Structures are given as C-alpha cells and as structure tokens.
Amino acid sequence: MNGDPTPAASTAEPETSEAGGEPQEAARLHAITKSFFGVPANDRVDFDLRWGEIHALLGENGAGKSTLCSVLAGLYHPDSGEIHLDGERVDLASPQQALEHGVGMVYQHFRLVDRFTVAENLALGHPETGFVASRRSLERQVAELGRRYGLEVSPKAAIWQLSVGEQQRVEILKLLYRGVRILILDEPTAVLTPQEAQSLFTTMRAMAADGQAIIFVSHKLDEVLEVSDRVTVLRDGERVGSMETADADPAALARMMVGRDLSTRARSRTEAGSAALSVKGLTADGDRGIEALREVDLEVRESQIVGVAGVAGNGQRELAEAIVGLRRSKRGQIFLGDVDITRTSTLQRIKMGLGFVPEDRMRTGMAGGLPLTANLALKAYRQPPLSKGPLVSKRAVEERARTLEKQFDIRGVRWAMPTSLLSGGNIQRAILARELSARPKVLVAAAPTRGLDVAAIEAIRQILLDERDAGTAILMISEDLEEIMDLSDEIVVLYEGQIMGRLDPDDATPEVLGMLMAGRTSDADAEADAGPDAGPDAAAESSGDSA
Amino acid sequence: MSLPLGAFELTVERQQIPSRLVRMAAPTASVAFGLLVGAVIIWASGQDPILAYTEMAKKGFGGRLALTGTLVLATPLILTGLAAVVAFRMKIWNIGAEGQLILGAVASSGVGLWLGDNGIGGPVGIVLMLAAGAGAGALWAGLAALPRAYLNTDEVISTLMLNFVALGIMNYLIFSSFSHWRDPSRATFPVGRFVDDSMFLHRFTGRLHIGLFIALAAAGALWWALRSTRWGFEVWVTGDSPRAALYSGMRVDRKILSVLMVSGAFAGLGGGIEVGGVLGNLDPRALSLGVGFAGIVVAALARLSPLGVIPVAILVASFTNAKPGLQVLGIPSEIVTLLEGILFLCIVGGEWFLRNAVRLQRRAAGPRPVGVEAAPS
C-alpha cells in the first residue's frame, strides 16, 4: 500500500525543529519494517523518543510492540528502515552493539543466572569485568545505583531467593550498570503486584527525571495514562498515532488500540442456586512438596461466578488441579453437589460434570502438536457418537469439530494444522467449546483470558457470563483484577495458599484487592481510603517494607 | 540462526510444513541423494560405483533366491521396527527390542519343545509357540514398563540393560547348562534342540515362510489400531502431551504399560518367528546379530509409520543380504555398512530440510545475533 494506512499515521515529526544544539531526541526509528514468515510484524513504523521522557507503546497482543522494541534493542535486524540514536544513524547488528550505544531492554522472561547473586549477575557479561572481579566495589556500586532509583535489592542475594518483582529490579540494575540510557521495558507490569508496579513507576520517573529515556510497553490503559509522558499506539504492525499523554482521552486511546468502540457490559446478576462445588479445608502440596494450599474453604453455587484473585504462584494452580483431580489433596474434602469427589479419578469427575479450562493451554488444555479436530474430541471421544465400542469414528470426530467451530466462532482453522499454530484466542475458544459442549455443572476456569487480545477477551468473558446465566457454577481463577471485578459474583483472594479475604465485587476496589493479594488484611482499609491520591510514594514505601 | 561465511551468511529459519506431495517425495529424493554421495565415496575408494550398485541390487533383489533371502531377513526387522514405532509414537524409548526378541525366541523354542515332547504339533503348536514368544517379549518389556509407569524410572536405561540380561539367559540355557533347550546328543559344541518338524512355519518358495505375512499383518494391525481405536487415540494424545492426556482423564500409567508391552510383544513375536521359520532351535549366535537395534533405525527411517516400516525393512534387509555376495566380487562389505549410514543421514537430514528454510545470502553490515528465537511478538 502506498496510501496512508490510517489518517493518524501521516503525522509530522515533532523533533524536526530541534536541528541545532543539544539534540533532545534520544532515538528515532524511521519506517521500520520487519516480517516473520512473510507476515509483517512492523510495517513502516515511525517512532521517536526524547531524553527524559517515559514513552508508552500501547497496543494489543501482536500489534508489533515487542518487535519494534527488539529492533531498537538490536535483537532483530529490520528488513528496512533506519535507526537514529542521539541524532546519529546506526546499524544495530546485535544486542551487544545496542548496549554499546546505551540501549537496553528488559524482556518479559528474565535473563538471570538463578544461582548467582545479584552482584554476580551484574558483573556477568560486563565488559569491564576482568578475570578477577572486586566483589566489594561491585556490591557497593549496585547498592548505590539501587538507592538512586529506588531499586533496592540486596547485592548478595542469590537470584532464586528473590521475588519476581525483585528479579525485575535486578534486570533494570544490570542495564543501568552497563550504562544504558535508553531503557526498554517490555510489559514489565505483567508479572507484578499492584504495589510492585507502583514501585516500578517510581523508579521509571526517577530515571526520566535524571534525563534518561524509557520506553514502556503495555496493553493496560490505566498504567499508560498513569506513568507515561507520551504514548504511541500500534495496531496490526502499524503506527496508529502518537500524542502527549496529558492530552490523551482514554476512550480515544482504547479506540485507536482496538480499532472499534469497546462495549461495556451491563451487569445482570442472576439468582444463585444451590451449592454446586464445595471445597472444605482443602490442603495440598505443590510440585516441590511444600504445602501450596492450606485449609481452603470455598463454595460455588449454580448460576454464580466466584472469582479467585491472587498473584500467580499463590496456590491458584494447585487449587484448580486439586479440584479437577490432577493433584492429590492431603486433607479436606471436595464436593460436587453433595457427592464427595475427593478420592475419585479425573475421569470420574469429568463424567460427573466438572469442566476445566486450565491456565496452561498449550500443554494441558490442548495437545499442541495434534490437529484441532483431535483436541476438540479430547474428552468426548469416549462416548457415542464419537466412539463405537473400542473404535473412534474419524468422521464423527471431524463432524463434531465442524459443529463446534461454527458454534463458538473458532477462526483460522485448517484441519491438518497443529493446534499450537492457532492464535491464543482461537485456542481458548476451542477449549471452552470442548468443555462447555459437555454441559458441565461446574466449570473451573484458570486465567481464561490471559495473553489474549481485546476482542478475544471480550468474547471469552461473554461466553463465561452466558454460561453462568444458563446455570453453570463457575470458579474463575484470574490475575486480571479488572476481569475479577467485572465478572465475579463473589471474590476470594488467595495468598500463599490461604484465603486472605472474601469480598462482594461492589465493595472491592483494586486497592483493597491489591493489598489482600500482597498478603495484608489489617491496613487494607486504610490504604484503600487513601486511594489513588496516596500516589507512588506510599506504594513505594509499602513495597519496600515487604521486600 | 545464521552462520557467517566470508561475505555471505547461511541463515536458517523454521518454515511451515510443506504440502503432502513434497512430504511424500522427500524421502525418495533423500535416498537418491544418499546413493549419489555413496557413489562418490565408492568411486573415491577405487571401486566402480555402478558395479557396486548393480551387484547390490542383484544380490538383494535379483532372482528368486536373492529376493526370498531378503524377505526372510526383512521379517524380524519389520517386527522390531514395529516395536520401535509403537513405543516411539508415545515417546517411550524402548531400546530393548533386542532382549525382547531373544526372550521371545527362548519362550517360543521352550514351548515348542515342550509341546513336541508331549505330542502336540501342527498349526495348534505353531500358534501356541508364537503366542508364547509374543507373550514373553511383552512380559520382558513389562519389567521395564512397570517401574517406568509407576515410579517414573528411565526406560532407556532399563530396557537397554535388560538386553544384556536376556542375552545372558539365552547363553546360559545353551552354553552353560543342560537345560530343556539344549541338545544333549551334541557333546562337542553346545547347540539348541530342534523343535518338531510339524511346527516349522509353512514355506512357500525357497526359504520364504509364512512369518513374512504374519509380520505384514502385524504392521497392518498396528496401523489400524493407532488410527481407529480409542487406544490409538489415547496413544496419540499421550505421545504429544502427557499432561493433556491426564487432563482429559486418560490413565497415562496404563498407557505406558500397554504400549511398552505391545512393543515387547512385536519384538518377542519376531523371536518366535525366527525360531519357527528359520532356525528351528534356540541358536544364540543367530539371535544376537542386532536385529532389535536395527529395528530402531528402520522405525526412524520409516518416520514412525507402521506401514512405512515394511519397505524400509526390506531395503535394509537387502543390504544385509547383499553383503556376502559383494565380498566375493572384491567389493568390501564395509561399503554396504557405509551406505546404510549415509542413507540414514540423508533421510534424517532431508526431514530437517523440510522443516527449515536455508538460504545463502550476502551478509548485512555486521554479524547477526546467533541463537535468538525468531518469534514475532
């Protein structure tokens, strides 16, 4: 296409006037194009970054945010386009070269050596680290950098001892220690508690105030509005537009991101029926043999969604697995209706009407290497019409897949293709299609919309609500607070394997939930009263306490 | 990934799996390429490649004698190939077909001798004898399968080690004891006692016996079972993702048990057929030639297709069959071994080239990062 893809993309470069003197421009990407397998992930994207600003890169999954960042970080070589750093055209052939130019990126998956200490990780790969490194001076430098930007971690702690939030701080420290002045953070808040996120924002502001430039990748509007100075929206690999955050209207941003208006759901609460799933005093071990679930009591009634909130790794997975029979429970009981299913097999539970949407879609929810036809038959293959005695009818399997494909609007399916090649949204639709077509009485849905784009999230949530209205009892485990608030009829918060609190969604604010998720009950109310005005400082302090 | 080569670089990127036609044609092209490479090596070693190839074809397939000889050699290879196919399909690495085949031969000859001693023979005897072979193979594999299924031990090690135990048992029965299996009339060199003539498998022409058709039927049965039964569906799912199998209520432990035992049964049946169709007795020298290990190669070359095992086993058997004849002509038999290796590499390599696009292109300004995942955001 030679014409303008969108009207907003034909913007003037705001920095062209700054020709003389100190360039205010930290980085400028011009017409970056990068394709994978012939599919453009970035299509002639322009992007500019000023010193001392936090520039948010907003877009849905697959909009090309990570690709653009990886180009700037030297990880990908663009098919075409130019990169200017500090006013000078550069060719970044590797992340090392980008680092030499002062550009560093914190990836979603951390790249730290678990057994090494914080200081050792910083020394690793640093050009000035000699054969013998001075541990003490290194540790002092780390501590100093940490103090300066509110990135406090003990330099002597081994990585495996640190929380995810602390590990992220180490990643940032590592880049600062290497002299990075352009910092790219790829969805940094995805792994953080609300408090940790606030602390990160404080750090980002401190760095920007120091004159450094930060690219903040996110698909969460609120965060972008809160922390950034400017925002650039990407959609389908193209730049939709850039603006000062102060001038940005949330609804307009959302529209730019999605390309359509978001409909807000009218809440219609149905009357909950009798208890469909009851969990009493459930205690279970995690994979490492340590109790991951302690004395959990839960009840989900017909026509009710109970949302389980919590930061990942606080027993959510164990709870779901114990309920569906994939994990042995040490103590306690699980009832389906009034039948005790604590000691029954997974298969029996399935037959009794227990459906499960697991968080790990590709290896648990689906056999990723198999075609979708087979995956849609995963549970139904035992019953007619799919099976006839010991045989499975290939034709019936395919017919069923086709019916479900239409019914649940699963798109992009070619039948011989491995399921893992489908998009996340379609995979999740397919899992729901399979689970719901069995007409379950109880559905356990773990992270039902994680990693999906806005349209898919919307569709999946609607499916869950419809299912609830049809009478199904749904236990929804999610780290997405918005989702918890929006869908749940009752909220429980899981923290370190225990129920930290139970809330009516009307009484739940993100602050209250966040405090409960971080393991605090007593001062949760006080914090909530302080509200958003309390700002980053309060949050930074509280997370500093917990560290 | 990329490899810098002066001003050029070799880049490798995963590509979408090509069309069915290409996938079908690829192994043929790989074999042709392998033969070409082999020809160059044969030529370089001072032999005439055309002569070598024509002789190999002649000794492997030319004429009734060569052809039946090849097919007889292919029979146990098909069965050990199937043994590997069924286990590998579920990513259970049964390296113990060798031992399972030996135990199958031990049980078959033992039952065959016992039946003969008690005046039972003919078709009933043959069926019982072969069933004993398959059953013993299954049980022997079961020894490794039980701890694998319930204690998650490493089946590679246990099946491999059981090979040596099986070999020890067989050698003991013939060489180190006056067992039921040993022929007491031969005092000089210990030999296994022969089963009754009525229990020899029916021969059609030359040495070609009914065992080939049992093996072909076994291949067909496995193909059908994997494709059309609930068991096959479960093996398919479990092989791809054991967690997804557990999640959908399948009993993965039982599947491991059944798959390994079916695998052992194929190999054991191979041992039984060798006794009934070729040897007539428990012959340690003839039963420890590595047919079990060769089955792994056959299965890999057949890309774990039960029907694909048949042509591959016949091809590999023809090589084996041609070896002594080439030796007579002054062509070293090592050339055949070499060719086997080259063909194996070419077919496995051809697979890889199907899945990865390799390009030689002029290098961009600097070296590009190596070992970086090429996933779009």
Side-chain angles (χ1 to χ4, degrees):
Chain A
M1 289 191 302
N2 287 321
D4 289 336
T6 56
S10 58
T11 49
E13 297 298 327
E15 259 64 61
T16 40
S17 55
E18 322 269 348
E22 186 89 346
Q24 197 193 343
E25 191 176 77
R28 191 158 62 86
L29 302 180
H30 178 63
I32 297 293
T33 297
K34 174 72 185 172
S35 300
F36 295 98
F37 306 115
V39 180
N42 280 159
D43 190 2
R44 285 170 288 134
V45 175
D46 293 328
F47 180 77
D48 69 278
L49 181 69
R50 299 173 197 153
W51 291 120
E53 79 166 347
I54 298 173
H55 194 144
L57 206 49
L58 184 68
E60 293 187 73
N61 293 304
K65 306 182 300 271
S66 294
T67 305
L68 189 66
C69 291
S70 298
V71 165
L72 182 56
L75 188 64
Y76 297 149
H77 200 266
D79 301 336
S80 66
E82 294 174 9
I83 303 171
H84 298 262
L85 289 177
D86 225 354
E88 181 192 336
R89 181 163 180 201
V90 292
D91 186 65
L92 302 174
S94 69
Q96 283 70 34
Q97 283 195 13
L99 278 172
E100 283 159 23
H101 281 96
V103 180
M105 177 158 166
V106 175
Y107 297 90
Q108 290 183 43
H109 300 282
F110 300 149
R111 294 160 186 217
L112 299 169
V113 182
D114 257 8
R115 288 167 161 276
F116 281 18
T117 67
V118 171
E120 284 163 351
N121 266 284
L122 261 64
L124 202 64
H126 194 282
E128 279 162 34
T129 304
F131 189 69
V132 184
S134 159
R135 187 177 295 265
R136 201 171 311 149
S137 92
L138 184 66
E139 284 172 358
R140 204 180 49 238
Q141 286 181 60
V142 172
E144 195 194 302
L145 268 176
R147 258 195 307 281
R148 188 150 142 215
Y149 295 116
L151 290 164
E152 263 131 71
V153 279
S154 161
K156 289 180 189 166
I159 297 300
W160 59 266
Q161 297 171 312
L162 302 179
S163 73
V164 176
E166 289 172 317
Q167 291 186 20
Q168 190 179 60
R169 287 182 211 162
V170 178
E171 283 280 9
I172 297 173
L173 277 174
K174 198 167 86 180
L175 295 176
L176 292 176
Y177 183 62
R178 292 215 44 177
V180 161
R181 303 201 57 225
I182 297 176
L183 184 71
I184 307 166
L185 299 167
D186 190 6
E187 308 233 358
T189 56
V191 292
L192 302 180
T193 62
Q195 279 71 27
E196 284 173 327
Q198 284 302 332
S199 155
L200 172 69
F201 293 164
T202 311
T203 300
M204 286 163 62
R205 288 193 190 100
M207 290 174 58
D210 235 17
Q212 317 204 16
I214 297 164
I215 299 177
F216 173 63
V217 179
S218 181
H219 56 231
K220 297 177 184 165
L221 262 178
D222 292 341
E223 291 177 357
V224 167
L225 290 170
E226 183 183 343
V227 78
S228 72
D229 302 310
R230 274 202 300 162
V231 53
T232 292
V233 182
L234 294 183
R235 186 173 72 224
D236 298 332
E238 292 176 9
R239 190 178 80 149
V240 187
S242 301
M243 62 185 76
E244 301 287 328
T245 309
D247 306 336
D249 165 33
L253 278 181
R255 205 160 38 242
M256 282 165 81
M257 189 164 101
V258 184
R260 61 174 171 80
D261 278 312
L262 278 176
S263 63
T264 45
R265 192 174 12 255
R267 264 178 104 85
S268 67
R269 289 235 212 147
T270 44
E271 199 62 36
S274 55
L277 173 73
S278 317
V279 172
K280 289 177 183 158
L282 185 65
T283 299
D285 281 346
D287 288 340
R288 291 183 196 162
I290 303 160
E291 265 184 22
L293 217 52
R294 275 177 285 165
E295 301 289 329
V296 169
D297 293 309
L298 267 180
E299 191 180 84
V300 190
R301 288 179 288 158
E302 290 166 6
S303 300
Q304 190 190 32
I305 297 181
V306 171
V308 179
V311 179
N314 275 289
Q316 292 96 321
R317 191 161 67 87
E318 288 81 3
L319 176 65
E321 288 179 353
I323 291 173
V324 301
L326 289 174
R327 184 174 295 272
R328 195 189 297 268
S329 45
K330 243 164 68 178
R331 285 191 300 280
Q333 286 168 296
I334 305 162
F335 294 90
L336 214 55
D338 42 16
V339 186
D340 186 344
I341 58 164
T342 319
R343 300 275 162 244
T344 59
S345 69
T346 308
L347 181 57
Q348 276 169 301
R349 296 182 204 199
I350 292 169
K351 286 183 174 163
M352 288 170 68
L354 181 58
F356 180 32
V357 177
E359 61 175 341
D360 173 15
R361 288 170 212 143
M362 279 336 304
R363 281 180 308 140
T364 308
M366 292 277 182
L370 267 47
L372 191 61
T373 40
N375 272 311
L376 285 171
L378 266 194
K379 289 178 177 175
Y381 76 95
R382 298 183 183 90
Q383 294 123 26
L386 297 200
S387 86
K388 292 173 188 131
L391 303 187
V392 173
S393 157
K394 227 180 160 181
R395 199 182 336 131
V397 165
E398 275 165 18
E399 261 167 36
R400 176 188 148 85
R402 240 164 244 136
T403 314
L404 290 177
E405 181 195 12
K406 275 200 208 80
Q407 201 180 329
F408 285 84
D409 194 22
I410 306 164
R411 275 173 249 167
V413 179
R414 269 181 292 139
W415 296 110
M417 183 169 88
T419 303
S420 58
L421 296 180
L422 290 175
S423 74
N426 280 314
I427 287 171
Q428 194 68 330
R429 271 176 218 261
I431 291 179
L432 276 165
R434 181 186 64 215
E435 297 306 300
L436 297 181
S437 63
R439 306 262 16 109
K441 293 194 190 79
V442 174
L443 181 71
V444 177
T449 62
R450 180 164 65 199
L452 305 186
D453 63 51
V454 173
I457 289 175
E458 208 41 35
I460 301 284
R461 289 183 184 169
Q462 197 53 52
I463 291 174
L464 290 176
L465 287 174
D466 291 347
E467 192 62 21
R468 176 199 63 183
D469 294 343
T472 309
I474 300 178
L475 184 71
M476 184 183 72
I477 300 169
S478 176
E479 290 153 46
D480 185 336
L481 288 187
E482 223 174 281
E483 177 166 87
I484 292 273
M485 306 261 277
D486 208 16
L487 266 62
S488 308
D489 300 302
E490 191 190 317
I491 301 173
V492 299
V493 179
L494 210 53
Y495 177 74
E496 294 201 331
Q498 285 177 302
I499 303 256
M500 215 47 206
R502 290 163 211 276
L503 300 161
D504 189 279
D506 294 335
D507 307 334
T509 62
E511 288 74 25
V512 172
L513 278 176
M515 292 310 292
L516 288 171
M517 283 160 65
R520 295 191 173 194
T521 40
S522 52
D523 48 357
D525 291 342
E527 279 287 332
D529 290 343
D533 302 332
D537 295 336
E541 265 170 40
S542 66
S543 81
D545 293 347
S546 63
Chain B
M1 287 188 291
S2 69
L3 178 74
L5 294 168
F8 293 88
E9 66 177 345
L10 208 56
T11 64
V12 177
E13 273 179 13
R14 284 186 74 85
Q15 64 180 8
Q16 273 164 347
I17 295 149
S19 71
R20 196 180 173 81
L21 189 73
V22 176
R23 285 206 317 270
M24 303 288 271
T28 320
S30 297
V31 168
F33 182 72
L35 289 175
L36 200 69
V37 174
V40 172
I41 294 174
I42 294 168
W43 173 77
S45 70
Q47 306 288 335
D48 178 358
I50 296 173
L51 177 73
Y53 282 161
T54 44
E55 281 307 314
M56 274 177 66
K58 232 188 272 174
K59 303 278 191 248
F61 299 109
R64 201 171 56 109
L65 202 65
L67 189 61
T68 54
T70 292
L71 291 176
V72 167
L73 284 171
T75 302
L77 217 46
I78 291 173
L79 286 162
T80 53
L82 294 175
V85 164
V86 65
F88 290 8
R89 276 279 184 109
M90 216 174 80
K91 302 203 172 71
I92 297 291
W93 311 112
N94 178 15
I95 314 296
E98 188 78 9
Q100 291 141 20
L101 178 135
I102 288 172
L103 254 287
V106 167
S108 284
S109 53
V111 168
L113 291 169
W114 181 82
L115 289 173
D117 294 346
N118 291 282
I120 306 165
V124 177
I126 289 175
V127 168
L128 289 174
M129 184 174 79
L130 294 183
L139 289 177
W140 197 245
L143 278 183
L146 272 175
R148 169 67 176 82
Y150 296 102
L151 302 170
N152 204 20
T153 57
D154 187 343
E155 78 278 8
V156 173
I157 300 193
S158 53
T159 54
L160 182 67
M161 289 306 163
L162 283 171
N163 287 335
F164 301 108
V165 181
L167 193 63
I169 291 174
M170 175 169 69
N171 285 338
Y172 171 79
L173 292 177
I174 298 301
F175 297 127
S176 312
S177 66
F178 291 96
S179 68
H180 170 69
W181 281 263
R182 183 162 164 180
D183 189 344
S185 64
R186 303 282 197 89
T188 47
F189 189 81
V191 175
R193 197 149 59 98
F194 283 81
V195 296
D196 190 80
D197 281 353
S198 72
M199 271 185 285
F200 272 44
L201 298 183
H202 178 70
R203 285 188 174 177
F204 297 96
T205 170
R207 293 163 55 234
L208 184 64
H209 57 83
I210 201 168
L212 174 70
F213 299 94
I214 298 174
L216 294 181
L222 180 62
W223 172 79
W224 173 82
L226 287 174
R227 187 188 151 86
S228 307
T229 66
R230 274 167 64 169
W231 179 82
F233 185 79
E234 288 170 0
V235 167
W236 196 28
V237 174
T238 311
D240 188 74
S241 171
R243 282 205 54 86
L246 282 172
Y247 157 82
S248 34
M250 296 173 192
R251 292 290 304 266
V252 170
D253 46 6
R254 288 188 199 163
K255 211 91 309 128
I256 292 170
L257 209 58
S258 70
V259 156
L260 256 176
M261 289 182 74
V262 167
S263 174
F266 280 126
L269 180 62
I273 287 175
E274 281 304 276
V275 169
V278 179
L279 305 171
N281 65 349
L282 187 65
D283 182 348
R285 284 165 305 165
L287 285 165
S288 50
L289 297 175
V291 176
F293 294 117
I296 295 170
V297 176
V298 168
L301 292 183
R303 292 192 284 177
L304 304 189
S305 149
L307 297 182
V309 157
I310 298 167
V312 173
I314 291 171
L315 184 70
V316 171
S318 82
F319 286 1
T320 313
N321 197 22
K323 267 184 202 175
L326 288 177
Q327 200 89 327
V328 172
L329 287 172
I331 299 172
S333 68
E334 281 74 15
I335 280 188
V336 177
T337 316
L338 187 80
L339 198 63
E340 277 177 12
I342 290 171
L343 285 179
F344 184 74
L345 279 176
C346 286
I347 291 178
V348 173
E351 269 292 282
W352 186 85
F353 277 102
L354 272 188
R355 280 163 217 290
N356 294 280
V358 182
R359 281 183 212 91
L360 186 65
Q361 57 194 30
R362 196 165 274 282
R363 206 132 62 100
R368 289 176 59 183
V370 174
V372 156
E373 65 270 48
S377 66

